[in-house]
Amino acid sequence: MYSDETERQKALRYSRTKEWLAVADMIFGTAVMLLALTTGLSARLRSAAERIAPPRLGTVMPFAAAGMILSSLISLPMSFYSGYVVEHRFGLSNQSMRSWFVDWFKGLGVASVLGAPLLQGAFWVIGRYPRRWWAVLSGLVLPFSVLLANLAPVLLMPLFNTFEPLKDQGLEKRIKDLAAGEGVNISSVLQMDMSRQTKKANAFFTGVGNTKRIVLGDTLLDEFTPDEVEVVLAHELGHQVHRDLWKLISLQMPLTIGLFYAMQRLVPPIIGRFGECWGLRAEEGVRDPAALPLAGLIGTGMSRTVAPAVNAIVRRWVEHPADRYALELTGKTGPFISAMEKLGRMNLADPNPPRLIKWLFHNHPTLQERVEYARRFAAQRGV
Ligand SMILES: [Zn+2]
């Protein structure tokens, strides 16, 4: 994939740097939550929210918004180093510092505006159903995930990038013909100004219902041949045909139920044991918003634990079938292989990462596996 050894070394350095930063970020985030909880900072913030916030607004929303803003500010240096400094050092960023900060600010705004009212709603459910809240909330997560998946492409993503119909209409006709031949009605295909932020290339399938769409980065369109774009499109079409977003949402369901149930079982005894030193209200249990960092610790702990399994499921039952679909639909193994190699070079990807890294971070088969699969496919089918 890398004909040039210096370029290969650079890709390996970039990959390892980003992975170490991701691990450091996890440790740091855990430490921040642990400290907020055990130093009584969380309890003090909750009491301040109670004093300051108008009673009609309640305590949860202002507490949650303040907590999110504080923790984002604490991790800002790390986010800046990983998202701006490292990206520039490896020549992958197209963004000015100002534009990076504007995006960071927007991200925080979106998280607070969406997250704080959602948490307020969750606490209302907890207060209303003190024993069965975990089941009620789990039931509500499904419609909310579907709603969010539906709205994100039209409400959230356009805050960061511009989406427009493919400029190359020949290309659009090509994939529509391809899909029509299979009896598939393709969702809209859009291009996005990914080059506003990065030199990396990407394509993805997003949205559910009337907002589902295939999105191609302009960076990819600039560098890929029409045949290469076609196999990438066919991979994304595979996600549409296989209804993969629904698969991912249903994969999320048992995890959500397990998570809420664990919180219901674990938080009250922990508060009973340590709550007093941390300034938590034992009699309120999970209903005390100051216990949110504890819930957060249990939540991140559990999701990190299941992440390798989730990644493996997605690699095997979502991403690999989309590759197979792309090859079966187009029969273009050569362009598939060159597209993968180009994607790897543009994104400074490690084609063959150590197994531990694959387990922890990759929800796609490694580039080497994808290329090897295409070679086997070509050998078997004689294409
Ligand atoms: Zn995919």
Side-chain angles (χ1 to χ4, degrees):
M1 170 171 315
Y2 296 98
S3 44
D4 177 356
E5 181 58 21
T6 355
E7 193 64 10
R8 197 181 78 88
Q9 289 300 336
K10 184 178 163 191
L12 295 187
R13 269 202 324 279
Y14 174 71
S15 302
R16 294 301 94 83
T17 306
K18 292 297 268 193
E19 288 144 10
W20 274 115
L21 283 168
V23 171
D25 189 53
M26 284 179 211
I27 296 171
F28 186 73
T30 307
V32 168
M33 278 193 279
L34 211 53
L35 281 174
L37 188 69
T38 54
T39 58
L41 177 69
S42 183
R44 282 203 296 279
L45 197 62
R46 175 255 286 128
S47 304
E50 275 171 350
R51 279 197 309 277
I52 299 163
R56 280 231 319 266
L57 190 63
T59 313
V60 178
M61 211 144 51
F63 168 82
M68 276 189 250
I69 293 168
L70 266 179
S71 61
S72 298
L73 281 173
I74 294 171
S75 58
L76 175 60
M78 200 126 150
S79 312
F80 179 73
Y81 183 73
S82 173
Y84 184 85
V85 178
V86 174
E87 295 298 304
H88 274 275
R89 184 177 298 160
F90 284 89
L92 289 171
S93 180
N94 279 335
Q95 232 176 348
S96 68
M97 196 183 291
R98 184 192 148 86
S99 149
W100 187 89
F101 271 100
V102 171
D103 275 1
W104 177 83
F105 205 75
K106 280 190 211 164
L108 176 57
V110 169
S112 321
V113 167
L114 277 180
L118 277 179
L119 277 171
Q120 172 108 346
F123 273 88
W124 182 84
V125 172
I126 294 173
R128 180 86 178 66
Y129 306 97
R131 291 221 311 235
R132 291 275 167 263
W133 66 266
W134 60 273
V136 180
L137 272 192
S138 305
L140 289 172
V141 164
L142 182 68
F144 265 107
S145 320
V146 175
L147 187 69
L148 197 63
N150 178 262
L151 293 180
V154 281
L155 285 187
L156 302 184
M157 295 178 189
L159 291 173
F160 299 89
N161 288 92
T162 309
F163 294 80
E164 53 191 348
L166 273 189
K167 287 190 180 129
D168 184 345
Q169 287 176 352
L171 206 56
E172 185 165 359
K173 187 172 177 322
R174 219 171 140 124
I175 189 68
K176 289 220 157 121
D177 290 349
L178 199 64
E182 291 283 297
V184 178
N185 208 346
I186 193 173
S187 341
S188 48
V189 181
L190 302 177
Q191 66 178 71
M192 139 189 194
D193 60 345
M194 209 168 266
S195 60
R196 205 178 79 75
Q197 286 100 352
T198 183
K199 296 190 199 310
K200 292 181 183 175
N202 205 357
F204 55 90
F205 180 80
T206 180
V208 292
N210 58 345
T211 66
K212 59 182 183 210
R213 62 204 49 202
I214 290 172
V215 179
L216 296 168
D218 56 351
T219 39
L220 185 140
L221 290 168
D222 285 347
E223 298 290 329
F224 282 42
T225 67
D227 275 347
E228 288 166 349
V229 175
E230 189 178 316
V231 289
V232 170
L233 270 169
H235 170 101
E236 303 307 332
L237 184 63
H239 287 314
Q240 182 198 326
V241 173
H242 299 152
R243 300 183 184 281
D244 283 336
L245 273 165
W246 291 101
K247 258 188 233 166
L248 295 178
I249 289 174
S250 29
L251 181 63
Q252 199 59 46
M253 260 330 273
L255 302 179
T256 308
I257 298 172
L259 178 66
F260 286 152
Y261 185 69
M263 283 177 186
Q264 160 78 337
R265 295 307 296 259
L266 294 176
V267 173
I270 297 178
I271 294 181
R273 174 82 179 73
F274 302 102
E276 210 173 319
C277 348
W278 299 342
L280 303 180
R281 294 166 183 158
E283 71 287 357
E284 290 185 15
V286 236
R287 279 177 296 135
D288 183 0
L292 266 175
L294 178 58
L297 282 167
I298 296 172
T300 40
M302 280 184 66
S303 52
R304 297 277 143 71
T305 312
V306 297
V310 172
N311 282 341
I313 292 172
V314 173
R315 280 197 306 266
R316 181 157 184 178
W317 282 293
V318 174
E319 292 302 338
H320 174 66
D323 279 351
R324 189 168 57 219
Y325 181 87
L327 290 171
E328 278 168 357
L329 185 62
T330 63
K332 290 181 175 160
T333 45
F336 180 93
I337 293 170
S338 59
M340 287 303 127
E341 293 182 340
K342 213 174 259 185
L343 211 54
R345 285 196 298 271
M346 287 176 77
N347 297 350
L348 288 181
D350 179 356
N352 191 23
R355 185 168 295 178
L356 177 68
I357 285 172
K358 175 175 143 181
W359 281 25
L360 288 178
F361 297 109
H362 290 252
N363 60 9
H364 285 65
T366 67
L367 284 172
Q368 184 166 313
E369 285 166 347
R370 299 176 82 175
V371 166
E372 276 167 6
Y373 173 71
R375 294 218 171 96
R376 280 204 307 280
F377 185 94
Q380 277 165 13
R381 311 282 168 105
V383 284

